[in-house]
Structure formats: C-alpha cells, structure tokens
C-alpha cells in the first residue's frame, strides 16, 4: 500500500478542525487528486477526525491520516503518516511522542500501512513551526543536509518540505529533490491556484494543497488539472 505513494503527484490536505460543506468535500474528493491527507496542527480530536474520515470514505479516493496527536489515532484510514520534525531541537517532536505512542500501540500496528515523513518546516511563523520549535534552515546546504539525513541515514519514504501558509523557494525545492535517491519529496505551502501548483509540481515529486480548499475552492480544484497536464 505504501508503494502507492511513489505515484502521487497531487494531494489535498484537509483539517478536521475546519468547516467544509458536503458539496465542497465532494468536489475535493472527486477532483482527480491522488489522495486526501487528513491533518492539522491544532484542534485535532478523535471526534472531528472520525467525522471527517467517514465523510471522505463515501468516495473512492485514498484517505491518509497524518498523525499529529495520539488522541486522534482513528482506525480505518488507508494509510497513516507519522511526521518526524528534523529541524527542531525539541526531542518530543523527533522521537519522544512517537516512542510513547508505540509503547502503547506498537505491537498491534499494521506496519505496511504506516509511513514516516521527515519534515523540515521553513516558515517560522506557521503554527507547526511555533508548536514544534522548528528553526528554518538558513541556506540550501542546510536544507539538503536534512534531505540526505531523511533519505540516506534514516531511509524515510517521505521528505516533506513544509512552508505552510507561504509559497516557498522553488529553486531550493528542486535542488533538494535532486539529492534524494529513495525518499519522495512532498512540498506544501501557499499553493493557491494552478500557476503555483505547476511551479511547485515541477520542483517537487508531490505537492500538497491545504489552505486554498478553504479560501478559494475553485482555484484549489484547478491545481489538480494543472499538475495532470505537466
Ligand atoms: C500544510 O503543507 C500543507 O501542512 C499545505 O500548506 O495550507 O499553505 O496549502 P497550505
């Protein structure tokens, strides 16, 4: 199942803590995107995660939970992504919380449905950066060092370049993708329509569109086609 990730070019990220009408959700799920990623940095609970999952489940699109809190570890998703923040010195976000969760649930997990994501958060003003104490890499060399760490040292299936809320430096993204041998580069942040989607998809393996779904749905939906036509 995790092998599928290698084919993905476009993903929508939906936040269980934000409102989305049934009509909007249907458009997102039937848009032709490769998967729906469910996750958020704040306000994610078991109840709002179950609720969103069951609404997405009415459609055939693969549905993935990005686990941000073990309180919201809801069964029934196709895949589970576990973020590991590489650019923080707060150990709880690297392996502390993960170890605690595995102490309780580790013996019962379906490991072929689980993939770790090595995150580097570049927008220090984002909720995710503030929460995890992430410090943005100052240079491309710093960023590619994290990429090699994810790819070679830890063999992580996903290296996630996270600019959440702001559009990043695509030249950095492209050069970072080029150092990866096994990890898939996911790029997320500030993709608000087809032009940025195209630019980001030329730099990254997989692009993630989040906020635009809530801010401007038609522009968000247009990102799918923009990537397909590349
Ligand atoms: C957030 O990378 C995703 O985790 C998407 O970012 O919300 O800025 O699209 P945006």
């Amino acid at each position: 199942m995790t092998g599928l990730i290698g084919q993905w070019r476009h993903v929508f990220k939906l936040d269980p803590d934000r409102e989305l009408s049934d009509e909007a959700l249907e458009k997102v799920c039937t848009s032709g995107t490769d998967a729906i990623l469910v996750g958020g940095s704040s306000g994610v609970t078991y109840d709002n995660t179950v609720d969103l999952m069951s609404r997405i489940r009415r459609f055939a699109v693969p549905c993935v939970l990005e686990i941000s809190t073990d309180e919201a570890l809801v069964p029934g998703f196709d895949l589970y992504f576990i973020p590991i923040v590489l650019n923080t010195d707060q150990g709880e976000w690297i392996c502390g919380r993960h170890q605690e969760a595995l102490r309780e649930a580790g013996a019962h997990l379906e490991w072929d449905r689980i993939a770790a994501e090595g995150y580097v958060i570049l927008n220090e003003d984002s909720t995710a950066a503030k929460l995890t104490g992430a410090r943005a890499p100052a240079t491309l060399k710093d960023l590619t060092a994290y990429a090699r760490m994810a790819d070679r040292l830890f063999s992580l299936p996903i290296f996630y370049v996270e600019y959440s809320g702001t559009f990043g430096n695509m030249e950095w993204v492209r050069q970072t993708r080029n150092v990866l041998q096994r990890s898939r580069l996911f790029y997320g942040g500030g993709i608000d329509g087809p032009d940025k989607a195209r630019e980001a998809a030329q730099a990254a393996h997989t692009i993630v569109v989040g906020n635009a779904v809530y801010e401007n749905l038609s522009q968000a939906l247009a990102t799918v086609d923009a990537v397909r036509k590349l």
Side-chain angles (χ1 to χ4, degrees):
M1 187 75 185
T2 48
L4 273 180
I5 300 168
Q7 315 293 321
W8 294 352
R9 292 284 281 138
H10 181 287
V11 170
F12 278 123
K13 189 185 279 196
L14 299 183
D15 186 340
D17 195 34
R18 293 179 83 172
E19 294 283 329
L20 196 63
S21 69
D22 285 344
E23 195 192 344
L25 186 73
E26 177 168 2
K27 286 182 177 158
V28 168
C29 291
T30 57
S31 61
T33 186
D34 293 307
I36 308 289
L37 199 48
V38 172
S41 300
S42 65
V44 177
T45 65
Y46 193 90
D47 288 349
N48 62 23
T49 304
V50 169
D51 181 59
L52 183 55
M53 181 191 75
S54 56
R55 292 173 66 213
I56 296 168
R57 273 279 173 248
R58 292 187 286 134
F59 307 97
V61 65
C63 185
V64 185
L65 178 63
E66 186 172 58
I67 301 169
S68 54
T69 163
D70 53 6
E71 187 208 328
L73 233 175
V74 172
F77 282 86
D78 295 311
L79 294 175
Y80 293 84
F81 286 178
I82 303 190
I84 294 170
V85 182
L86 300 174
N87 62 326
T88 179
D89 51 17
Q90 297 179 15
E92 66 174 306
W93 302 105
I94 308 167
C95 62
R97 289 169 173 245
H98 313 64
Q99 192 264 354
E100 277 171 29
L102 292 179
R103 247 182 105 234
E104 303 310 319
H108 313 291
L109 297 178
E110 285 183 70
W111 286 99
D112 57 353
R113 289 182 185 273
I114 294 174
E117 305 167 294
Y119 256 78
V120 173
I121 305 172
L122 289 105
N123 175 9
E124 289 188 356
D125 293 326
S126 64
T127 310
K130 287 181 184 151
L131 183 70
T132 61
R135 285 195 296 226
T139 65
L140 175 61
K141 222 169 168 182
D142 293 308
L143 178 59
T144 53
Y146 283 122
R148 291 195 167 97
M149 190 183 292
D151 185 51
R152 311 282 173 80
L153 210 50
F154 297 147
S155 301
L156 301 177
I158 296 166
F159 180 65
Y160 197 128
V161 177
E162 172 68 290
Y163 275 92
S164 180
T166 176
F167 194 63
N169 180 332
M170 289 307 120
E171 185 52 26
W172 278 25
V173 174
R174 192 183 59 76
Q175 293 204 38
T176 301
R177 182 200 63 198
N178 289 344
V179 310
L180 297 174
Q181 292 190 347
R182 286 179 294 191
S183 307
R184 185 105 184 143
L185 193 148
F186 277 44
Y187 168 81
I191 299 173
D192 57 7
D195 293 344
K196 290 202 178 107
R198 210 171 293 120
E199 215 185 312
Q202 278 163 344
H205 294 122
T206 305
I207 65 162
V208 182
V209 179
N211 213 24
V213 171
Y214 302 91
E215 303 288 330
N216 189 333
L217 182 62
S218 62
Q219 286 292 293
L221 294 170
T223 63
V224 179
D225 247 15
V227 174
R228 293 272 163 265
K229 283 187 182 139
L230 282 178

